[in-house]
Amino acid sequence: MIEILKKLTKNELVIFLLIFVIAALFYLFKIGFSDLWSDEIYTKSMCDGSLTDIYAKFKNDLHPPLYYLGLKLFTVLFGLNATSLRLFSVLGVLSTILLGYFAGQRVFGKQGALYFCLMLISLPMLAAYSHQARMYTWAAFSVTGVFIYAYLFMRTGKNRDLLLLFVFTLIAMYIHYYSMAAAF
């Protein structure tokens, strides 16, 4: 019986890895194919310059600053071009899938977490925004974390779940005002 459980667990991880790799290839396909559009150019301009320059730009922007700060750090490492700007959004989608699988197992079980990941991959919103240098994929990540850990805290009452709920709520609040509204 234990051998069957080990094989089943191993197979579910293999299935998840297959889903994850296919999703990554899908989201990365032709990521730098098109030119930046107006909102992405605005995002690029927000990340252009030093951290103090970005701080000055926040005063005139209605979006919370966390996305721009994260993107600035990312572009320092990988360059400020269309591909690297959009790659940061792809990482937001892939992080959401990872969160959905690993944290989702505590909510849905292993098989349910696989279905949850398939559901996430099938969302047109994530597919569309994975190729845009905007904060929406990271907003989806933060809101997914809020809902998973809110449910887990209500069910278990564990301080660890409350702490993660707090962290994801803070991320949601400082990524986008829509994710802030969803978190509350």
Side-chain angles (χ1 to χ4, degrees), residues 120-175:
L120 287 171
I121 292 168
S122 70
L123 292 174
M125 174 275 216
L126 288 178
Y129 287 120
S130 68
H131 275 212
Q132 295 185 19
R134 299 299 289 155
M135 66 282 301
Y136 304 117
T137 60
W138 286 102
F141 169 75
S142 63
V143 171
T144 301
V146 166
F147 283 100
I148 286 174
Y149 285 105
Y151 174 79
L152 287 171
F153 177 69
M154 287 187 295
R155 192 177 82 192
T156 66
K158 291 183 179 179
N159 288 337
R160 176 179 167 261
D161 294 331
L162 180 62
L163 177 64
L164 287 167
L165 170 60
F166 177 73
V167 168
F168 277 102
T169 301
L170 280 178
I171 293 169
M173 288 172 53
Y174 288 100
I175 286 287

Side-chain angles (χ1 to χ4, degrees), residues 9 11 18 35 48 56-57 60 72 79 85 92-93 106 131 147 158 164 166 172:
T9 302
N11 288 341
L18 183 65
D35 294 331
D48 199 18
K57 292 175 189 178
N60 299 321
K72 173 63 180 175
L85 288 168
V93 174
R106 293 183 56 209
H131 275 212
F147 283 100
K158 291 183 179 179
L164 287 167
F166 177 73

Side-chain angles (χ1 to χ4, degrees), residues 10-137:
K10 192 174 188 178
N11 288 341
E12 286 172 346
L13 184 58
V14 169
I15 292 169
F16 170 72
L17 290 174
L18 183 65
I19 290 169
F20 187 80
V21 168
I22 290 170
L25 292 173
F26 173 73
Y27 293 130
L28 290 170
F29 183 70
K30 293 189 176 186
I31 192 169
F33 182 69
S34 64
D35 294 331
L36 295 174
W37 63 288
S38 60
D39 280 358
E40 291 177 306
I41 292 169
Y42 179 79
T43 298
K44 184 178 180 182
S45 73
M46 286 295 288
C47 293
D48 199 18
S50 68
L51 285 176
T52 55
D53 294 337
I54 292 173
Y55 178 73
K57 292 175 189 178
F58 288 146
K59 294 177 183 178
N60 299 321
D61 189 53
L62 60 101
H63 295 97
L66 186 58
Y67 170 77
Y68 295 118
L69 292 173
L71 184 59
K72 173 63 180 175
L73 295 174
F74 187 79
T75 57
V76 164
L77 297 173
F78 298 103
L80 189 61
N81 55 58
T83 302
S84 64
L85 288 168
R86 292 175 179 151
L87 181 60
F88 191 65
S89 294
V90 170
L91 292 177
V93 174
L94 296 177
S95 297
T96 306
I97 294 168
L98 288 170
L99 177 68
Y101 181 68
F102 291 106
Q105 287 182 24
R106 293 183 56 209
V107 176
F108 309 113
K110 288 186 180 192
Q111 189 174 14
L114 285 174
Y115 289 130
F116 184 64
C117 289
L118 288 172
M119 188 265 323
L120 287 171
I121 292 168
S122 70
L123 292 174
M125 174 275 216
L126 288 178
Y129 287 120
S130 68
H131 275 212
Q132 295 185 19
R134 299 299 289 155
M135 66 282 301
Y136 304 117
T137 60

